[in-house]
Amino acid sequence: MSRILIAEDETRIASFVERGLNANGFTATVVTDGVSALDLALSGNFDLLVLDIGLPGADGFTVLRRLRKARGSLPVIILTARDSVIDTVAGLESGADDYMSKPFRFEELLARIRLRLRDERSPEVTVLRNGDLSLDLRTRRAAVDGRTVDLTAREFVLAETFLRNPGQVLSREQLLSHVWGYDFDPGSNVVDVYVRYLRRKLGTARIETVRGMGYRFVDQPVRPLIADDTAGRSRGG
Ligand code: CA
């Protein structure tokens, strides 16, 4: 299990990232100032650092420079203000491996974290399966019982979030921050609308409404595709 250190002084963003990472099987720890960030980053207890640039104590650039001086290789993803090209360039020159500009969607950060950690881990899962549903994360294609289903980009991310957390109740707020980002209006009914779209495309019974709590993706054993008897039919790739 990978341990992620989050150095971010904005509570809303820190807890959004922390909850998301914990829900995805990481162990996340939050610090809110640069001095603690450097201390913990140097402790050897973490596999990756998500580092905000604007931190009290010591800013992200200082943390990064000292970290790189002291201990080569901890992967670092910096968080920069929106469109701050100068921050981004300076961050990468100071030794960051990657960056996210705020505001960002959690799924984007997660993808970058996974990418950075991939080398030391078992091969990346590229197809998620549940029951007769499969999502190919590389081609961004969904299939039910071997038949391709057209999902929009947002529907795909929502489906992916459900498939990564089968059987768990996910609140509207969790889904909203996960799929739409933390800047989205919490009063919006966009989650309900998109769940409806997904049910229409993937089958109604797959996603349960848990009254007053949110939605749950019904966990089903994976049904392997059995080659049908229709001779000569191409199954495609
Ligand atoms: Ca900040």
Side-chain angles (χ1 to χ4, degrees), residues 50-228:
V50 176
L51 177 65
D52 181 34
I53 292 300
L55 284 177
D59 72 11
F61 294 134
T62 309
V63 172
L64 191 53
R65 275 195 304 271
R66 291 189 188 156
L67 176 67
R68 286 297 179 242
K69 247 184 184 167
R71 180 184 180 261
S73 62
L74 184 71
V76 176
I77 298 176
I78 54 171
L79 303 179
T80 67
R82 184 207 295 263
D83 297 335
S84 177
V85 176
I86 292 168
D87 276 7
T88 304
V89 170
L92 294 173
E93 282 178 351
S94 310
D97 299 278
D98 208 343
Y99 69 95
M100 294 287 309
S101 6
K102 300 175 184 177
F104 54 88
R105 287 190 304 111
F106 179 75
E107 284 295 334
E108 287 172 23
L109 177 63
L110 186 63
R112 281 160 204 250
I113 289 174
R114 289 203 167 109
L115 189 69
R116 288 298 147 194
L117 293 173
R118 192 160 58 186
D119 293 348
E120 6 170 335
R121 296 162 65 81
S122 49
E124 178 87 335
V125 172
T126 53
V127 181
L128 297 175
R129 297 179 199 281
N130 197 293
D132 58 1
L133 172 64
S134 64
L135 295 182
D136 188 319
L137 302 178
R138 278 180 307 190
T139 60
R140 314 300 283 175
R141 287 170 90 173
V144 172
D145 203 14
R147 286 186 308 274
T148 300
V149 178
D150 285 325
L151 297 184
T152 64
R154 196 74 84 175
E155 288 167 354
F156 191 93
V157 175
L158 181 60
E160 180 182 347
T161 304
F162 277 124
L163 255 77
R164 287 190 186 279
N165 303 278
Q168 289 179 38
V169 178
L170 301 174
S171 68
R172 283 180 180 76
E173 188 203 20
Q174 278 176 311
L175 291 168
L176 197 59
S177 71
H178 217 88
V179 179
W180 282 268
Y182 53 86
D183 272 357
F184 218 84
D185 171 19
S188 162
N189 70 341
V190 70
V191 172
D192 308 271
V193 171
Y194 271 76
V195 165
R196 209 149 60 226
Y197 293 159
L198 273 192
R199 281 175 171 155
R200 202 175 299 153
K201 292 184 176 181
L202 304 178
T204 312
R206 240 180 266 272
I207 304 168
E208 293 176 345
T209 303
V210 182
R211 197 170 286 277
M213 295 182 75
Y215 293 104
R216 174 170 48 215
F217 190 86
V218 179
D219 195 11
Q220 292 175 327
V222 172
R223 253 197 5 238
L225 268 183
I226 297 165
D228 60 26

